Amino acid sequence: MSTSTAGRAATSEEEAAGGDDGPAPAGPNVPPGSPTPPGSLARLGRGLRTVGSRSYWTTPRLVRGLTALSLAALIGLGATATAVLGGARDGTDTIGHQAAPQAVRAADLYFALSDMDAQAANLLLVGDDQDYATLRKQTLDTYEQRRNQADNDLQQAARAADPAGQRAVQLVLGRLGSYEALVARSQLLEEQAKAPAGQPSPAALDAYRQASDLLRNQLLPAADQVTAANEATVDRTYAQQRDALGTGWWWLFAVGVLALVVLFGLQRALAVRYRRVVNPALAAVTLLTGVVLVAGLNLVGRTDDHLVTAKKDAYDSVIALSRARAVAYDMNADESRYLIDPGRAAVWEQAYLEQSQAIVHLDGATLSGYAAQLQDAAGRHRADHSVVPFGGFLGSELHNITFPGEQDAAERVLGAFQEYQVIDHKMRDLRAEGKLKDAITLNTGLAKGQSNYEFGQLSAAMDDTVAVNQKAMDGALASTDGDLDSTTAALGAAVLAAALVLVALGVRPRLREYR
């Protein structure tokens, strides 16, 4: 069709459409709230009938309308992808780089405080006995190491905790100095008394009791509160983000399909009205939109998979094992407290059982029967790893085995925990038989078959299992960061701009025929 023929056709079509620019202007202003005049409704109805008639949609109007819809759909696709993936990036940042590390750091604070108290108890336990001189020096060094670790954890927590966490951190900061002063006083009184192993002076024991009560009643609950607050943030953000990704996937799919349908409609209109088989620019836009849609949906799916890996598969195990390690050190301290403080022996025995149950919960277990019941439960689990007949932090981990090497590492934790419980039972038997020094040696010894050796094996196995999960968590977070980085955003913006330009280039020559 020549340009003149197209122009005449357009003129004829536009004349058939009525040749007007819409309804006549309304009359004088009507006060707000007044009923719409009947004449206005009539004009509105005529206008809607005109727009809805086939004669109204001349070729230029149809092309311009479909072009506007195509541009709007492409912009909508870009906006939807930005909202969905930008929200995913922010949610992943909150989980992986803020709340989750803070929860783990708070559990580490609990561990450092627990081990500080365990070392303080051991200092009273070995007393002035020269047989334990080397152990005493090691104990002092470990106490200082844990004190520095607690200070560092507090500084990190103070910078990032939420309001509730901040209050808990401030409580620990305010009370930790008092705790350290009481421990120092206990050590000084013990040195002055030159008491034998396992028999601290009443004054030294009283100072330690005050320190330990302060730790257990205020410092450890506050540290646990920081952990719980950050865990709640992780769980809440994870649930919200998974819902948002699921909904976002369907929104992206719907807007993308709409964009493809409108682009196809525009190409069909051009093919029918202008007798052309294909418009190269619009064909390129359609192909590009399809590729972007598939890539975007795949990116949302990958982000969701990485989020599940990072939080459910990895983080849940990391935090469970981190808390198990922290409780284990408090449990280890309960043994020393039991030996140095016979007046509170029943209290420390109950505390030891509660800490053991937190790690591996056995229904109806008592302190005297715990080791045997644990052996039976562990045997049933080893016969079939899918059977986990106990709860607690270790039970949670064994229900969440996901990564290569994790099963073996977790089994080593269970085995070391068993050995530690067997030795604890022996230590209590020695104490009951009046063999206090033998009980102290068994409790503090670092040789194979002694308590602190097996506890070291337990701690190392926990660290190894945490490392497996931490590596997987870091990998999933790094993958999400790479998928949703500034390069992806810039590439998406460039593709959107190119698509908009191509649409304009595709219809411009056709619309110029009507000038």
Side-chain angles (χ1 to χ4, degrees):
M1 180 187 293
S2 67
T3 302
S4 60
T5 304
R8 288 194 297 273
T11 301
S12 175
E13 290 173 351
E14 289 164 358
E15 289 173 352
D20 58 15
D21 295 323
N29 291 336
V30 179
S34 299
T36 304
S40 298
L41 291 175
R43 286 193 295 272
L44 178 61
R46 286 197 301 271
L48 291 175
R49 285 193 297 273
T50 299
V51 172
S53 65
R54 291 187 62 184
S55 60
Y56 177 82
W57 290 104
T58 63
T59 297
R61 281 175 174 165
L62 180 62
V63 172
R64 289 190 185 102
L66 288 173
T67 300
L69 282 176
S70 298
L71 295 175
L74 289 172
I75 293 172
L77 179 61
T80 302
T82 299
V84 173
L85 297 176
R89 183 185 62 247
D90 293 342
T92 301
D93 183 66
T94 298
I95 292 173
H97 303 301
Q98 298 177 36
Q102 278 296 98
V104 174
R105 189 174 293 114
D108 190 66
L109 171 62
Y110 193 112
F111 149 70
L113 293 172
S114 296
D115 200 31
M116 281 176 65
D117 205 53
Q119 303 310 318
N122 285 339
L123 287 172
L124 293 187
L125 188 61
V126 299
D128 193 46
D129 194 319
Q130 293 305 304
D131 290 343
Y132 302 115
T134 300
L135 178 59
R136 182 178 180 82
K137 183 179 183 307
Q138 291 174 345
T139 301
L140 283 168
D141 291 343
T142 303
Y143 177 84
E144 287 300 315
Q145 179 184 346
R146 296 294 181 248
R147 188 173 69 83
N148 292 332
Q149 185 175 344
D151 288 343
N152 182 63
D153 287 337
L154 279 170
Q155 291 172 13
Q156 296 293 325
R159 286 198 289 266
D162 63 8
Q166 283 280 1
R167 289 191 293 272
V169 168
Q170 290 303 318
L171 189 152
V172 177
L173 284 169
R175 299 287 190 274
L176 186 56
S178 298
Y179 170 82
E180 292 175 357
L182 287 168
V183 170
R185 176 174 172 76
S186 173
Q187 293 176 13
L188 177 62
L189 292 170
E190 178 69 5
E191 290 172 1
Q192 291 174 345
K194 298 188 180 299
Q199 301 176 48
S201 69
L205 181 58
D206 182 65
Y208 173 74
R209 280 178 173 177
Q210 293 179 53
S212 185
D213 288 346
L214 177 61
L215 180 95
R216 295 172 61 82
N217 296 332
Q218 297 188 43
L219 301 185
L220 292 182
D224 197 50
Q225 184 179 349
V226 178
T227 304
N230 283 283
E231 280 192 83
T233 299
V234 171
D235 291 341
R236 181 176 63 255
T237 306
Y238 174 74
Q240 292 172 346
Q241 194 56 57
R242 289 218 66 201
D243 286 345
L245 284 171
T247 303
W249 191 96
W250 285 107
W251 271 108
L252 191 62
F253 176 80
V255 176
V257 169
L258 175 63
L260 290 173
V261 169
V262 174
L263 286 169
F264 178 78
L266 177 58
Q267 290 180 84
R268 185 175 183 279
L270 293 177
V272 171
R273 298 296 178 102
Y274 292 92
R275 304 294 191 270
R276 284 173 170 78
V277 176
V278 66
N279 184 298
L282 291 180
V285 173
T286 305
L287 178 61
L288 192 60
T289 302
V291 171
V292 168
L293 177 58
V294 172
L297 294 174
N298 180 62
L299 202 54
V300 173
R302 277 170 51 86
T303 301
D304 186 65
D305 290 342
H306 291 325
L307 186 62
V308 171
T309 299
K311 196 279 177 187
K312 181 179 178 296
D313 297 339
Y315 164 79
D316 284 356
S317 291
V318 169
I319 194 62
L321 290 164
S322 295
R323 298 190 75 174
R325 184 182 68 152
V327 168
Y329 274 83
D330 197 20
M331 177 184 71
N332 189 45
D334 285 330
E335 287 185 326
S336 297
R337 296 174 187 131
Y338 164 78
L339 290 174
I340 64 172
D341 194 357
R344 291 188 178 182
V347 173
W348 302 129
E349 285 181 326
Q350 181 60 30
Y352 180 88
L353 176 61
E354 290 174 358
Q355 309 290 21
S356 298
Q357 287 279 59
I359 298 172
V360 175
H361 182 83
L362 302 168
D363 292 337
T366 62
L367 183 62
S368 59
Y370 187 87
Q373 193 171 341
L374 175 62
Q375 182 177 3
D376 176 67
R380 283 185 285 149
H381 167 68
R382 292 192 179 101
D384 182 357
H385 284 168
S386 65
V387 176
V388 183
F390 47 82
F393 294 126
L394 186 53
S396 297
E397 161 57 10
L398 287 169
H399 277 296
N400 195 37
I401 299 297
T402 312
F403 308 110
E406 186 178 4
Q407 184 77 56
D408 290 342
E411 295 300 329
R412 290 199 301 274
V413 174
L414 179 59
F417 187 71
Q418 276 187 270
E419 290 298 322
Y420 183 75
Q421 292 294 334
V422 169
I423 293 172
D424 174 80
H425 191 75
K426 291 179 181 178
M427 181 271 293
R428 294 179 194 277
D429 286 344
L430 289 172
R431 181 68 180 89
E433 294 168 5
K435 300 176 181 179
L436 178 58
K437 189 165 182 177
D438 289 343
I440 293 172
T441 299
L442 182 63
N443 179 59
T444 59
L446 295 171
K448 185 175 176 58
Q450 294 180 318
S451 182
N452 276 357
Y453 172 85
E454 295 301 338
F455 187 80
Q457 297 299 303
L458 173 62
S459 180
M462 286 181 173
D463 289 344
D464 290 345
T465 314
V466 167
V468 171
N469 287 278
Q470 188 66 55
K471 181 180 179 181
M473 181 177 174
D474 292 343
L477 293 172
S479 295
T480 299
D481 290 342
D483 286 345
L484 306 180
D485 62 3
S486 58
T487 301
T488 302
L491 181 60
V495 169
L496 175 60
L500 297 175
V501 170
L502 285 172
V503 170
L505 292 176
V507 300
R508 185 169 180 271
R510 306 287 75 80
L511 292 175
R512 288 182 64 185
E513 296 178 11
Y514 290 88
R515 292 183 180 178

